[in-house]
Amino acid sequence: MTEPILLSPPHLGTREQELVREAFASNWIAPVGPHVDAFEREFAARVGAAHAVALSSGTAALHLALELAGVAAGDVVLCSTLTFVASANPILYLGAHPVFVDSELESWNLDPALLAAELDRERAAGRRVGAVLAVHVFGQSANLEAVAAACQRHRVPLIEDAAEALGATFRGNAVGTRGFAGAFSFNGNKIITTSGGGMLVCPDAEVARRARFLATQAREAEAHYEHRTRGYNYRLSNVLAAIGRAQLEQLDDRVERRRENFRHYHELLAGEPGITFMPEAEWGRATRWLSVLLVEPQAFGATREDVRLHLLADGIEARPLWKPLHRQPLFARCRAVGGSVAEGLFDRGLCLPSGSQLTAAQRERVARRLLSTPRRGRR
């Protein structure tokens, strides 16, 4: 039986074991401790943020960011539509109303022109926009300059969902650091992992202090347990922070390995009729968290789904792009601005195995199998 090739498995080494043993030896395993403090300092320094707060997930980071930005029940939150559902679920937690904005083709991220026009419409209609949530999809920065300008013109907080984009840049600066707050994920499939976890970064010390307060059940500074505010159990454990510190040391290597995956796939497949790849926008450096291509059925002779199933039959895990949120049943009653670009990308897009331990031989196996997909009009 051929060995399976997974989409984006964790990549761990011996350094993680050293720091985890240290955490166990110190008996600091709870959601506080020296590794949590150090991870926050080191992460903030790595991305160039003033403050970082280690949390249980990227979703928790988005939830706190939205709440601390002042998003309240009944508000509108404008959100990228081409993203995972975790980007928008926290909007619902707060009783706000997501409005999904289409992608542009240069980066596949939030279209700044559509965003600006929708902000104008929302103001004219008298609806309060609590925040704009811009996602950096598949490891590539959105056009932050244009997105931030639209937000500033309307005095709307910008929150960056950088869950997939740790290590990506916009004009030489790390993503996640431009707006009111940024959210990162350390889920098992991300470029670095703590098995599960996330980080909120922000420029304001009071926002960071408040995030830590809310993330630890909003316990007041009393000897007894005093609570005046609704809080959450969102802090990262010292053990997982130890893993994160070791992983962070390897970030540059992990990004370069994923970019090498993309370069090799491009070399192997770019000349094939009907196959094109996700572009890299001129304004930044993408991490290529996932190597993503488009399959044009007429030119290639098979659909994206034909290719995916053919790969799966050989033990190769590939997945469609994110289904646009405005097409998800959960958000059937939510408004969308545009949508055809994201829909077209979803209908034709496929994510290839992209783990940072992927070998050249494995990439070649993926490419050979893809090219062997049965095609209409070919013998």
Side-chain angles (χ1 to χ4, degrees):
M1 181 178 178
T2 55
E3 184 177 353
I5 301 177
L6 301 179
L7 185 72
S8 183
H11 184 176
L12 300 171
T14 58
R15 177 65 170 154
E16 289 84 351
Q17 296 177 40
E18 292 173 12
L19 293 184
V20 167
R21 281 195 296 269
E22 183 182 303
F24 271 78
S26 70
N27 206 35
W28 282 105
I29 62 168
V32 291
H35 284 303
V36 173
D37 297 339
F39 190 29
E40 290 177 342
R41 289 193 304 270
E42 292 159 6
F43 192 90
R46 182 62 177 78
V47 301
H51 305 280
V53 182
L55 300 167
S56 57
S57 68
T59 308
L62 288 172
H63 184 192
L64 290 179
L66 288 164
E67 184 165 326
L68 291 166
V71 173
D75 285 354
V76 167
V77 175
L78 304 185
C79 178
S80 307
T81 193
L82 187 65
T83 183
F84 182 49
V85 70
S87 299
N89 273 337
I91 301 170
L92 301 184
Y93 299 167
L94 295 168
H97 303 296
V99 172
F100 296 112
V101 181
D102 203 1
S103 302
E104 41 76 13
L105 288 172
E106 192 169 359
S107 71
W108 298 9
N109 284 301
L110 185 72
D111 186 320
L114 291 179
L115 172 68
E118 183 59 24
L119 284 168
D120 289 342
R121 279 192 292 270
E122 296 292 343
R123 172 178 284 181
R127 292 186 288 264
R128 182 178 185 273
V129 178
V132 167
L133 203 161
V135 182
H136 305 298
V137 75
F138 301 122
Q140 173 154 252
S141 174
N143 186 346
L144 280 173
E145 202 165 60
V147 169
C151 291
Q152 288 162 6
R153 185 162 59 87
H154 287 272
R155 297 184 180 179
V156 172
L158 169 62
I159 294 168
E160 295 178 59
D161 181 347
E164 302 171 12
L166 176 59
T169 61
F170 178 85
R171 308 280 188 221
N173 297 312
V175 301
T177 59
R178 181 73 178 250
F180 174 84
F184 296 85
S185 171
F186 311 127
N187 193 23
N189 64 359
K190 297 302 188 292
I191 289 181
I192 71 168
T193 183
T194 58
S195 78
M199 191 77 75
L200 181 149
V201 302
C202 61
D204 189 287
E206 177 57 21
V207 170
R209 185 200 68 79
R210 189 71 178 170
R212 289 191 182 91
F213 170 72
L214 292 175
T216 48
Q217 300 288 19
R219 182 185 175 187
E220 302 290 342
E222 303 285 353
H224 60 277
Y225 287 88
E226 182 83 7
H227 303 275
R228 304 185 189 113
T229 305
R230 179 188 63 197
Y232 312 99
N233 183 17
Y234 276 175
R235 282 294 257 160
L236 189 70
S237 84
N238 197 56
V239 175
L240 299 189
I243 298 172
R245 293 184 67 198
Q247 289 270 294
L248 189 61
E249 293 172 2
Q250 301 299 317
L251 177 59
D252 289 339
D253 171 74
R254 300 294 191 262
V255 170
E256 186 49 46
R257 286 171 181 247
R258 288 183 186 252
R259 287 180 63 85
E260 174 57 28
N261 288 338
F262 181 87
R263 285 192 293 268
H264 197 190
Y265 281 136
H266 193 275
E267 176 186 308
L268 295 167
L269 298 169
E272 186 67 17
I275 298 293
T276 57
F277 285 83
M278 182 180 185
E280 185 167 48
E282 58 84 20
W283 53 70
R285 184 174 189 265
T287 64
R288 301 296 187 185
W289 170 56
L290 296 180
S291 290
V292 186
L293 54 76
L294 299 178
V295 180
E296 301 291 346
Q298 286 189 327
F300 186 70
T303 67
R304 174 261 289 163
E305 191 63 4
D306 294 331
V307 174
R308 187 188 72 80
L309 292 173
H310 188 66
L311 291 171
L312 184 62
D314 191 40
I316 298 170
E317 183 183 21
R319 290 188 186 171
L321 275 63
W322 302 125
K323 183 178 181 180
L325 294 186
H326 70 272
R327 284 179 54 181
Q328 293 284 0
L330 173 62
F331 301 110
R333 297 186 178 181
C334 297
R335 290 194 301 113
V337 182
S340 62
V341 172
E343 290 170 3
L345 294 172
F346 168 67
D347 291 341
R348 295 172 291 144
L350 190 67
C351 303
L352 299 181
S354 303
S356 50
Q357 290 179 297
L358 202 65
T359 66
Q362 287 175 317
R363 291 190 294 263
E364 288 163 5
R365 177 181 151 200
V366 171
R368 283 195 306 272
R369 182 68 180 180
L370 187 153
L371 293 173
S372 73
T373 303
R375 299 188 232 180
R376 292 176 288 279
R378 293 200 181 189
R379 294 184 180 273

Coordinates of all heavy atoms in Angstrom, one line a residue, residues 182-226:
G182 N -4.7 41.9 15.5 CA -4.5 40.8 14.6 C -4.7 39.5 15.3 O -4.4 39.4 16.5
A183 N -5.1 38.5 14.6 CA -5.3 37.2 15.2 C -4.5 36.1 14.4 O -4.6 36.1 13.2 CB -6.8 36.8 15.2
F184 N -3.8 35.2 15.1 CA -3.0 34.2 14.5 C -3.5 32.8 15.1 O -4.0 32.8 16.2 CB -1.6 34.3 14.8 CG -0.9 35.6 14.2 CD1 -1.0 36.8 14.8 CD2 -0.3 35.5 13.0 CE1 -0.5 37.9 14.3 CE2 0.2 36.6 12.4 CZ 0.2 37.9 13.0
S185 N -3.3 31.8 14.3 CA -3.7 30.4 14.8 C -2.5 29.5 14.8 O -1.6 29.6 13.9 CB -4.7 29.8 13.8 OG -5.0 28.5 14.1
F186 N -2.4 28.6 15.8 CA -1.4 27.6 15.9 C -2.0 26.2 15.8 O -1.6 25.3 16.5 CB -0.6 27.8 17.2 CG -0.1 29.2 17.4 CD1 -0.3 29.8 18.6 CD2 0.6 29.8 16.4 CE1 0.1 31.1 18.8 CE2 1.0 31.1 16.6 CZ 0.8 31.8 17.8
N187 N -3.1 26.1 15.1 CA -3.8 24.8 14.9 C -2.8 23.8 14.3 O -1.7 24.2 13.7 CB -5.0 24.9 14.0 CG -5.9 23.7 14.0 OD1 -5.9 22.9 14.9 ND2 -6.7 23.6 13.0
G188 N -3.1 22.5 14.3 CA -2.1 21.5 13.9 C -1.7 21.6 12.5 O -0.7 21.0 12.1
N189 N -2.5 22.2 11.6 CA -2.2 22.3 10.2 C -1.5 23.6 9.8 O -1.2 23.8 8.6 CB -3.5 22.1 9.3 CG -4.5 23.2 9.5 OD1 -4.3 24.1 10.3 ND2 -5.6 23.1 8.8
K190 N -1.2 24.5 10.7 CA -0.7 25.7 10.4 C 0.9 25.7 10.3 O 1.5 24.6 10.6 CB -1.0 26.8 11.5 CG -2.5 27.0 11.5 CD -3.1 27.5 10.2 CE -4.6 28.0 10.3 NZ -5.5 26.9 10.6
I191 N 1.5 26.8 9.8 CA 2.9 26.8 9.6 C 3.7 26.5 10.8 O 4.7 25.7 10.8 CB 3.3 28.1 9.0 CG1 2.8 28.2 7.5 CG2 4.9 28.3 9.0 CD1 3.2 29.5 6.8
I192 N 3.3 27.0 12.0 CA 3.8 26.6 13.3 C 2.6 26.2 14.1 O 1.5 26.7 13.9 CB 4.7 27.6 14.0 CG1 3.9 28.8 14.5 CG2 5.9 28.0 13.1 CD1 4.6 29.6 15.5
T193 N 2.8 25.2 15.0 CA 1.6 24.7 15.8 C 2.0 24.6 17.2 O 3.1 24.3 17.6 CB 1.2 23.4 15.2 OG1 0.0 22.9 15.9 CG2 2.3 22.3 15.3
T194 N 1.0 24.7 18.1 CA 1.0 24.3 19.5 C 0.1 23.2 19.7 O -0.3 23.0 20.9 CB 0.7 25.5 20.4 OG1 -0.6 26.0 20.1 CG2 1.7 26.7 20.2
S195 N -0.4 22.5 18.7 CA -1.5 21.6 18.6 C -2.8 22.3 18.5 O -3.6 21.9 17.7 CB -1.4 20.5 19.8 OG -2.0 21.0 21.0
G196 N -3.0 23.2 19.4 CA -4.2 24.1 19.3 C -3.8 25.3 20.1 O -3.2 25.3 21.1
G197 N -4.1 26.5 19.5 CA -3.8 27.7 20.2 C -3.8 28.9 19.3 O -4.1 28.7 18.1
G198 N -3.7 30.1 19.8 CA -3.7 31.3 19.0 C -3.0 32.4 19.7 O -2.6 32.3 20.8
M199 N -3.0 33.6 19.0 CA -2.4 34.8 19.6 C -3.1 36.0 19.1 O -3.4 36.1 17.9 CB -0.9 34.8 19.1 CG -0.1 35.9 19.9 SD 0.4 35.4 21.6 CE 1.7 34.2 21.2
L200 N -3.4 36.9 20.0 CA -3.9 38.2 19.6 C -2.7 39.2 19.7 O -2.0 39.2 20.8 CB -5.0 38.6 20.6 CG -5.7 40.0 20.3 CD1 -7.2 39.9 20.8 CD2 -5.0 41.1 21.1
V201 N -2.5 40.0 18.7 CA -1.5 41.1 18.8 C -2.2 42.4 18.6 O -3.2 42.5 17.9 CB -0.4 40.9 17.8 CG1 0.3 39.6 17.9 CG2 -0.9 41.0 16.3
C202 N -1.7 43.5 19.2 CA -2.3 44.8 19.2 C -1.3 45.9 19.5 O -0.3 45.6 20.2 CB -3.5 44.9 20.1 SG -3.2 44.6 21.8
P203 N -1.5 47.1 19.1 CA -0.6 48.2 19.5 C -0.9 48.8 20.8 O 0.0 49.6 21.3 CB -0.8 49.2 18.4 CG -2.2 49.0 17.9 CD -2.5 47.5 18.1
D204 N -2.0 48.6 21.4 CA -2.4 49.3 22.6 C -2.3 48.4 23.9 O -2.9 47.3 24.0 CB -3.9 49.7 22.4 CG -4.4 50.6 23.5 OD1 -4.6 50.2 24.7 OD2 -4.6 51.8 23.2
A205 N -1.6 48.9 24.9 CA -1.4 48.2 26.1 C -2.6 47.9 26.9 O -2.8 46.8 27.5 CB -0.4 48.9 27.0
E206 N -3.6 48.8 26.9 CA -4.8 48.6 27.6 C -5.7 47.5 26.9 O -6.3 46.7 27.6 CB -5.6 49.9 27.7 CG -7.0 49.8 28.3 CD -6.9 49.2 29.8 OE1 -5.9 49.3 30.4 OE2 -8.0 48.7 30.2
V207 N -5.7 47.5 25.6 CA -6.4 46.4 24.9 C -5.8 45.0 25.2 O -6.5 44.1 25.5 CB -6.3 46.6 23.3 CG1 -6.9 45.4 22.6 CG2 -7.1 47.9 23.0
A208 N -4.5 44.9 25.3 CA -3.8 43.7 25.6 C -4.2 43.3 27.1 O -4.4 42.1 27.4 CB -2.3 43.8 25.5
R209 N -4.1 44.3 28.0 CA -4.5 44.0 29.4 C -5.9 43.5 29.5 O -6.2 42.5 30.2 CB -4.3 45.2 30.2 CG -4.5 45.0 31.7 CD -4.8 46.3 32.5 NE -6.1 46.8 32.1 CZ -7.3 46.4 32.6 NH1 -7.3 45.3 33.4 NH2 -8.4 46.9 32.3
R210 N -6.8 44.1 28.8 CA -8.2 43.8 28.8 C -8.4 42.4 28.2 O -9.2 41.6 28.7 CB -9.0 44.8 28.1 CG -10.5 44.7 28.2 CD -11.0 45.1 29.6 NE -12.4 45.0 29.7 CZ -13.1 45.1 30.9 NH1 -12.4 45.3 32.0 NH2 -14.4 45.0 30.9
A211 N -7.7 42.1 27.2 CA -7.8 40.7 26.5 C -7.4 39.7 27.5 O -8.1 38.6 27.6 CB -6.9 40.7 25.3
R212 N -6.3 39.9 28.3 CA -5.9 38.9 29.3 C -6.9 38.7 30.4 O -7.2 37.6 30.8 CB -4.5 39.3 29.9 CG -3.4 39.1 28.9 CD -2.0 39.3 29.7 NE -0.9 39.2 28.7 CZ -0.4 40.2 28.1 NH1 -0.8 41.5 28.3 NH2 0.6 40.0 27.2
F213 N -7.5 39.8 30.8 CA -8.5 39.8 31.8 C -9.7 39.0 31.4 O -10.2 38.1 32.1 CB -8.9 41.3 32.1 CG -10.1 41.4 33.0 CD1 -10.1 41.1 34.3 CD2 -11.3 41.9 32.5 CE1 -11.2 41.3 35.1 CE2 -12.4 42.1 33.3 CZ -12.4 41.8 34.6
L214 N -10.3 39.3 30.2 CA -11.4 38.6 29.7 C -11.1 37.1 29.4 O -12.0 36.2 29.6 CB -11.9 39.2 28.4 CG -12.5 40.6 28.5 CD1 -12.9 41.2 27.1 CD2 -13.8 40.6 29.4
A215 N -9.9 36.8 29.0 CA -9.5 35.4 28.7 C -9.3 34.6 29.9 O -9.2 33.3 29.8 CB -8.2 35.4 27.8
T216 N -9.2 35.2 31.1 CA -9.1 34.4 32.3 C -10.3 34.6 33.2 O -10.3 34.8 34.4 CB -7.8 34.8 33.1 OG1 -7.8 36.3 33.2 CG2 -6.6 34.3 32.4
Q217 N -11.5 34.4 32.5 CA -12.8 34.4 33.2 C -13.1 35.8 33.9 O -14.0 35.9 34.7 CB -12.9 33.3 34.3 CG -12.8 31.9 33.7 CD -13.9 31.4 32.8 OE1 -14.7 32.2 32.4 NE2 -14.0 30.1 32.6
A218 N -12.4 36.8 33.4 CA -12.7 38.2 33.9 C -12.7 38.2 35.5 O -13.6 38.9 36.1 CB -14.0 38.7 33.4
R219 N -11.7 37.6 36.0 CA -11.6 37.6 37.5 C -11.0 38.9 38.0 O -10.0 39.4 37.5 CB -10.7 36.5 38.0 CG -10.6 36.4 39.5 CD -9.7 35.3 39.9 NE -9.5 35.3 41.4 CZ -8.6 34.6 42.0 NH1 -7.8 33.8 41.4 NH2 -8.5 34.7 43.4
E220 N -11.7 39.6 38.9 CA -11.2 40.9 39.4 C -10.0 40.6 40.4 O -9.8 39.5 40.9 CB -12.3 41.6 40.2 CG -13.6 41.9 39.3 CD -13.3 42.9 38.3 OE1 -12.3 43.7 38.4 OE2 -14.1 43.0 37.3
A221 N -9.3 41.7 40.7 CA -8.1 41.6 41.5 C -8.5 41.6 43.0 O -8.3 42.6 43.8 CB -7.2 42.8 41.2
E222 N -9.1 40.5 43.4 CA -9.5 40.3 44.8 C -8.9 39.0 45.3 O -8.6 38.1 44.4 CB -11.0 40.3 44.9 CG -11.7 41.5 44.4 CD -11.6 42.7 45.4 OE1 -11.0 42.5 46.5 OE2 -12.0 43.8 45.0
A223 N -8.8 38.8 46.6 CA -8.3 37.5 47.1 C -9.3 36.4 46.8 O -8.9 35.3 46.6 CB -8.0 37.6 48.6
H224 N -10.6 36.8 46.9 CA -11.6 35.8 46.6 C -11.9 35.9 45.1 O -11.4 36.7 44.4 CB -12.9 36.0 47.4 CG -13.5 37.4 47.2 ND1 -13.0 38.5 47.8 CD2 -14.5 37.8 46.4 CE1 -13.7 39.6 47.4 NE2 -14.6 39.2 46.5
Y225 N -12.8 35.1 44.6 CA -13.2 35.1 43.2 C -14.4 36.1 43.0 O -15.5 35.8 43.3 CB -13.6 33.7 42.7 CG -12.5 32.8 42.6 CD1 -12.0 32.0 43.6 CD2 -11.8 32.7 41.4 CE1 -10.9 31.2 43.5 CE2 -10.7 31.8 41.2 CZ -10.2 31.1 42.3 OH -9.1 30.3 42.2
E226 N -14.0 37.2 42.4 CA -14.9 38.3 42.2 C -15.1 38.5 40.7 O -14.1 38.7 40.0 CB -14.4 39.6 42.8 CG -15.3 40.8 42.7 CD -16.4 40.8 43.8 OE1 -16.4 40.0 44.7 OE2 -17.3 41.7 43.7

